Amino acid sequence: MKLASIDNQTRDGQLVVVNKELTKAIKVPHISETLQQALDNWSETEPKLKEVYTSLNANQLESAFNFSEVKVIAPIPRAFHWADGSAYVTHVELVRKARNAELPESFWTDPLMYMGASDAFIGANDPIEIEKEEWGIDFESEVVVFTDDVPAGVNAETALSHIKLISIINDVSLRNLIPNELSKQFGFYQSKPWTSFAPVVVTPDELTEDWKDGKLHLPLYSTLNGTVIGAPNAGVDMTFNFGQLVAHAAKTRSLMAGTVIGSGTVANQGSPNGSSCLAEVRCLEIIKEGKASTPFMKYGDRIEIEMKDKEGQTIFGKINQVVTEYQP
């Protein structure tokens, strides 16, 4: 099943069911007005939504409309909880190697995670508005999951059953603001502007054999100004699967329905399939050449992020954003 939210001039948008090809959609106010409401009552809404999805794919719904003709916003424009992990430890290892810092052994056994700002997520085609280029504008291509209510202390295996939806995001980072923030040993804040989401979220069963062991085993493509920067397989070299990430987040407290958990930047060891952010590209240059030559993004740059199935069909739709200058 595939779901999305469209702009209806409210803060939380209008939930729609989308067909497999992402060409047709239909509103479902009789089931749920918003995606958050659907997740709040998932045991009741999921079977009803799946019935609509089946009928939509069979072209049996006269009230369906062209999905491309509406403005799609983030599936959950604002969430109660957003936590981003760093499940690809080989990426962290590479970044630390570039600055001659050792990787603590605990990083391989205990996930890194921070709580992000969830009061405003943006849509796949919304601009990346940044006040200053010198802040070091970077994209980060990630996989995310949405949960229902998760009890505190859940184990990793059981946590997988609480994952109800999956998507991809662009978790924009301002790289040149990060060092000062991390030096305070209190985490990210100013260096993390709004996160953008792909148009569509899907249920795990929609991914069939590509979703297994709590990982999504498909390449995640990042294309900057028409050039593919990388397409690492999201299921390869993922040190902590999503069950482990959800369990980590729920170690001491319950997670409410609609919680979003991110994988961190997707990366494959040695970067044979390219990179999912410019910071990694620059780190590879530093290790090989002694200095970074690839610049961070500038105004006018376009970043596209997408994941396709084995038949070449887009799964979540494309994130397609242009960096623009924000005027305070």
Side-chain angles (χ1 to χ4, degrees):
M1 177 169 62
K2 299 190 176 187
L3 305 171
S5 294
I6 62 174
D7 187 11
N8 66 347
Q9 302 301 307
T10 67
R11 287 183 182 269
D12 300 307
Q14 170 72 59
L15 175 66
V16 296
V17 177
V18 186
N19 70 347
K20 189 174 183 62
E21 293 78 20
L22 309 189
T23 56
K24 295 289 184 179
I26 188 167
K27 299 177 183 178
V28 285
H30 60 291
I31 300 174
S32 183
E33 288 283 353
T34 68
L35 183 56
Q36 181 62 57
Q37 290 175 7
L39 286 166
D40 284 341
N41 305 283
W42 193 246
S43 61
E44 299 175 10
T45 58
E46 182 188 23
K48 296 176 183 178
L49 292 169
K50 283 193 172 183
E51 285 183 13
V52 174
Y53 183 64
T54 300
S55 298
L56 182 62
N57 283 310
N59 295 315
Q60 296 174 342
L61 302 176
E62 293 183 359
S63 55
F65 53 85
N66 291 330
F67 188 52
S68 62
E69 295 179 358
V70 294
K71 182 180 179 181
V72 180
I73 58 178
I76 290 186
R78 51 179 179 171
F80 292 116
H81 193 162
W82 154 233
D84 200 14
S86 190
Y88 300 87
V89 179
T90 55
H91 167 75
V92 182
E93 185 178 40
L94 178 65
V95 171
R96 294 177 74 91
K97 181 179 179 181
R99 53 187 175 90
N100 296 314
E102 290 190 12
L103 184 77
E105 282 299 316
S106 63
F107 281 26
W108 295 102
T109 56
D110 189 30
L112 293 171
M113 184 173 286
Y114 77 94
M115 186 183 295
S118 62
D119 57 323
F121 293 140
I122 60 175
N125 299 308
D126 290 335
I128 301 171
E129 296 183 299
I130 304 297
E131 185 179 340
K132 298 179 180 180
E133 284 184 335
E134 55 263 35
W135 286 345
I137 309 163
D138 198 0
F139 66 89
E140 286 192 57
S141 306
E142 303 186 19
V143 178
V144 294
V145 299
F146 296 64
T147 75
D148 62 3
D149 291 310
V150 182
V154 69
N155 62 48
E157 183 177 357
T158 304
L160 286 174
S161 67
H162 290 282
I163 294 172
K164 302 305 178 184
L165 298 167
I166 302 165
S167 193
I168 57 174
I169 65 167
N170 179 14
D171 185 42
V172 177
S173 288
L174 302 177
R175 298 296 184 184
N176 294 336
L177 298 185
I178 289 178
N180 183 57
E181 287 207 290
L182 293 187
S183 69
K184 300 175 183 178
Q185 298 184 358
F186 218 57
F188 302 110
Y189 196 85
Q190 293 178 335
S191 53
K192 286 292 185 179
W194 285 342
T195 299
S196 56
F197 281 68
V200 167
V201 292
V202 310
T203 48
D205 62 298
E206 186 75 23
L207 299 165
T208 61
E209 71 275 3
D210 296 321
W211 172 258
K212 58 183 178 181
D213 305 322
K215 303 175 184 180
L216 183 48
H217 295 262
L218 287 170
L220 182 57
Y221 288 84
S222 302
T223 303
L224 181 62
N225 296 327
T227 299
V228 177
I229 301 299
N233 191 304
V236 175
D237 298 319
M238 189 179 188
T239 308
F240 306 102
N241 69 22
F242 276 108
Q244 292 170 298
L245 293 178
V246 172
H248 180 84
K251 181 176 180 177
T252 60
R253 57 175 159 177
S254 300
L255 307 179
M256 298 298 102
T259 292
V260 185
I261 303 288
S263 67
T265 308
V266 175
N268 292 163
Q269 186 173 14
S271 301
N273 301 310
S275 302
S276 296
C277 67
L278 293 177
E280 183 170 293
V281 173
R282 290 165 59 87
C283 285
L284 290 167
E285 293 169 345
I286 291 171
I287 293 169
K288 183 179 179 179
E289 304 165 7
K291 64 177 182 179
S293 56
T294 297
F296 288 120
M297 291 195 292
K298 304 294 185 182
Y299 299 143
D301 283 353
R302 181 181 299 275
I303 179 64
E304 300 169 83
I305 302 170
E306 189 173 21
M307 183 175 279
K308 299 180 180 180
D309 61 23
K310 291 181 175 63
E311 286 71 47
Q313 170 70 37
T314 188
I315 300 173
F316 309 102
K318 182 187 291 186
I319 295 172
N320 186 356
Q321 297 183 280
V322 175
V323 181
T324 62
E325 183 178 6
Y326 171 71
Q327 298 287 346

